[in-house]
Amino acid sequence: MIQLQVAERAETRIKLSIGGPSGSGKTCSALLLAYGLVQAAHPEWTNEQCWAKICIVDTENGSAKLYANFNVPNTNYHIGKFFTVPLKPPYEATKFIESIHACEEADMEVVIIDSLSAYWQGEGGALDKQGKIAARTGNSYTAWHDVTPEYNRVIDTILQSSCHVIMCSRAKMDYVQEKNANGKTVVRAVGMGLQSRDGLEYEASLHFMISVPDHIANATKDRTGLFDGKYFIITPETGKEIYRWLSSGAPEAPKEVPAPVKAEP
């Protein structure tokens, strides 16, 4: 029987997206945000314990490791030792799905996918597979019949994960001229669209775009209402703000544990 329920936001795990051109600082920003999420949830933990609950699914030739034990320039932030899952081509859907499940089984708090663009347009990814099917069948449209269900499984695995998930995506770069605080004209690189399937950012509760070279972020989608109209640099405090918003919802209902079945005499 269909029943109506009062809508009430429950404490949950955030699924957010970060996009930006090369050099915008997506990986570093994702790590600082992830640390803020974990530290806010476990204030009694040491820095080492917090970093040990963060894992990057790395498609960028191991570049994530460059941030281990890293002092963020011009800040007091230090990135500790975290985990990585290095992925190499072909960037098939199953690799991303299995990586997320491995993080869940390892009891990670935050999974960073850096980057999801590799699955979309990398070797063996969605576009590559669609193109090969189309070349074989001669029909580009029907080639998506095999690719779209796989893409949907990747997105569903992310959205249903028991971990916080941060999806990093490369962005197409464009340049704008604007005045700085001193009235001088400067050129700034901005992301004009993700190198991913259209609409990826709408799958997440939050989507940040980061510019170059100032690393300024703004939320182009924000279900939390925390960052609307703001321009800022992502720090651990960003993660803490998000966690406080998550925690302000009603607590998740406890899972029902079935009563033990007594053996027949």
Side-chain angles (χ1 to χ4, degrees), residues 187-198:
V187 177
R188 185 164 62 95
V190 295
M192 299 303 293
L194 300 182
Q195 294 179 7
S196 63
R197 191 166 193 167
D198 289 343

Side-chain angles (χ1 to χ4, degrees), residues 52-237:
K53 289 297 183 178
I54 297 169
C55 184
I56 295 184
V57 178
D58 182 6
T59 69
E60 304 295 307
N61 297 314
S63 63
K65 294 180 181 179
L66 299 176
Y67 289 97
N69 284 325
F70 178 73
N71 293 318
V72 182
N74 304 315
T75 74
N76 294 322
Y77 302 125
H78 176 77
I79 295 174
K81 291 184 178 180
F82 51 88
F83 285 87
T84 65
V85 177
L87 294 189
K88 295 185 180 299
Y91 296 115
E92 299 164 333
T94 53
K95 289 186 177 181
F96 290 85
I97 293 170
E98 290 172 0
S99 296
I100 294 170
H101 288 329
C103 290
E104 293 169 343
E105 291 171 4
D107 200 27
M108 291 291 113
E109 294 266 334
V110 186
V111 179
I112 301 170
I113 303 176
D114 188 22
S115 76
L116 201 56
S117 296
Y119 167 59
W120 179 243
Q121 63 179 27
E123 179 187 341
L127 286 181
D128 188 31
K129 183 171 183 177
Q130 187 270 346
K132 289 176 179 176
I133 295 173
R136 186 178 70 247
T137 63
N139 191 320
S140 177
Y141 179 78
T142 58
W144 285 108
H145 290 178
D146 292 329
V147 178
T148 295
E150 289 186 349
Y151 175 86
N152 290 339
R153 282 196 292 274
V154 172
I155 298 302
D156 288 344
T157 301
I158 291 171
L159 297 181
Q160 296 170 15
S161 176
S162 58
C163 304
H164 301 290
V165 181
I166 301 174
M167 300 172 280
C168 294
S169 297
R170 305 179 200 126
K172 303 166 189 175
M173 190 180 295
D174 200 358
Y175 297 89
V176 296
Q177 289 187 347
E178 56 189 16
K179 301 287 185 181
N180 63 14
N182 299 320
K184 183 180 179 181
T185 299
V186 295
V187 177
R188 185 164 62 95
V190 295
M192 299 303 293
L194 300 182
Q195 294 179 7
S196 63
R197 191 166 193 167
D198 289 343
L200 171 66
E201 60 269 35
Y202 299 108
E203 302 287 356
S205 295
L206 265 170
H207 175 64
F208 294 125
M209 290 295 292
I210 308 178
S211 61
V212 175
D214 51 17
H215 312 304
I216 298 296
N218 72 294
T220 59
K221 179 195 174 179
D222 184 6
R223 286 179 181 161
T224 71
L226 297 171
F227 308 100
D228 187 34
K230 296 181 181 179
Y231 291 82
F232 59 97
I233 292 177
I234 293 175
T235 69
E237 183 58 34

